[in-house]
Amino acid sequence: MANQLPQLDQVFAALADPTRRAIVMRLCVGEASVGELADPFDMALPSFMKHIHVLEQSGLVQSEKSGRVRTCRLSPDALLSAEDWFQHQRAIWEARLDRFEAYVMKLKKERAAAKRPSKTADKATNKTSKRKGA
């Protein structure tokens, strides 16, 4: 996992920007030209191309140029390292929460046992009340 960290950092950095997340979501539908991708955004094409470049560097997007048109498509394999990282984190936190739940249940049992009068205390109370009532 340690050898994947630089690539994982690039994926998370690329997805940290809302414009790039929107591009990725659009590419989930299918490939599109840079012009189609840029259309919903109010920015100059050179600025938009910087977002495409970051997505390409992270491995999330691949593009190819045919004539004057650059077409982009999603590369979902780049998300595998992020998915692996999330699964690893989930396993860690589930184990922690399981231990915490066991600890809380143990405390509840101890408190319930402390509130219950013991059998020897019951017998002593019964003997005292029988003497008073006699």
Side-chain angles (χ1 to χ4, degrees):
M1 179 148 274
N3 61 350
Q4 295 178 352
L5 290 180
Q7 201 268 336
L8 184 64
D9 291 345
Q10 286 183 328
V11 169
F12 283 140
L15 293 174
D17 184 271
T19 300
R20 292 191 288 267
R21 285 194 306 273
I23 294 168
V24 169
M25 292 305 295
R26 167 52 188 87
L27 291 175
C28 285
V29 175
E31 62 182 40
S33 70
V34 170
E36 291 172 317
L37 292 171
D39 193 42
F41 301 99
D42 186 28
M43 67 176 70
L45 193 58
S47 297
F48 186 79
M49 285 304 296
K50 288 180 183 178
H51 288 291
I52 297 294
H53 180 71
V54 170
L55 289 168
E56 286 179 322
Q57 290 295 109
S58 71
L60 289 168
V61 170
Q62 291 179 343
S63 69
E64 62 183 40
K65 193 169 184 178
S66 177
R68 294 180 55 189
V69 177
R70 178 170 295 281
T71 303
C72 299
R73 72 180 151 290
L74 191 62
S75 299
D77 289 347
L79 291 172
L80 291 177
S81 62
E83 183 181 359
D84 291 344
W85 185 84
F86 280 121
Q87 286 178 350
H88 181 71
Q89 294 303 309
R90 182 181 186 143
I92 290 171
W93 280 99
E94 283 178 350
R96 287 177 180 170
L97 290 173
D98 288 346
R99 287 192 307 270
F100 182 66
E101 181 183 24
Y103 177 71
V104 168
M105 296 307 290
K106 177 184 166 195
L107 287 178
K108 281 184 178 181
K109 286 179 185 177
E110 288 173 357
R111 286 186 181 164
K115 288 182 181 179
R116 270 187 261 134
S118 67
K119 300 236 180 213
T120 54
D122 284 344
K123 289 179 183 177
T125 308
N126 285 339
K127 287 181 184 176
T128 308
S129 40
K130 284 182 185 177
R131 284 186 213 151
K132 287 182 182 176

